[in-house]
Amino acid sequence: MDIGVISVRYARALLKSATDQKLEEKVYQEMMTIAKSYLEVPQLRQTIDNPMLSKDKKQMLLLTAVGEKPSELTKSFIQLVLKEDRENVMQFMANSYITLFRKQKNVIRGKLTTAARVSAQTEQKMRQMVESKTNGTVEFETEVNPDIIGGFILEYDTYRMDASVKTQLNNILNTLKK
């Protein structure tokens, strides 16, 4: 069976259970944490995939990867995944849950890149602008990149607004070369 199909089915079931218990936000944070754990600790995947490791140790590792005080629903979900021998797809299940949650709650990811740190007020204004254009909630990430010299780059959904000085200088240079 296809890994994508399996992970989406499990994630959909988890989201339905979480919604029924009004825990979807908590489980969302836990799935974000476990997905991040898989990215930051590549050995986690290798260890979970190891057939010589007992289910109890795998459960302990996954619960640790979820973070402090996991919800009972997440604990039960991990037990089910281990019982059904699907632990090798756990990372994909977490990512599928994140995607399904964002789609259900109309959460858009946004990123603001600036040459220097911006105030919380400026960041909030940018967030509100994106929320008004998308009619959704925005998870905003800010990044400082001095290479853009000045201005900003705003990205969300499939939209990218590049108002950086570096890009404007490159455009002028390209115009002069022609």
Side-chain angles (χ1 to χ4, degrees), residues 81-97:
V81 168
L82 289 167
K83 181 180 162 229
E84 298 296 324
D85 293 321
R86 299 287 191 191
E87 62 269 18
N88 61 328
V89 194
M90 188 65 199
Q91 181 180 10
F92 301 103
M93 290 177 196
N95 287 324
S96 295
Y97 181 91

Side-chain angles (χ1 to χ4, degrees), residues 157-171:
D157 210 11
T158 58
Y159 180 77
R160 179 181 165 100
M161 179 182 183
D162 192 339
S164 65
V165 173
K166 181 179 181 179
T167 300
Q168 292 173 4
L169 289 173
N170 283 336
N171 290 342

Side-chain angles (χ1 to χ4, degrees), residues 43-54:
Q43 299 87 351
L44 177 61
R45 183 169 185 65
Q46 296 165 348
T47 306
I48 295 297
D49 289 349
N50 183 351
M52 300 302 288
L53 195 65
S54 72

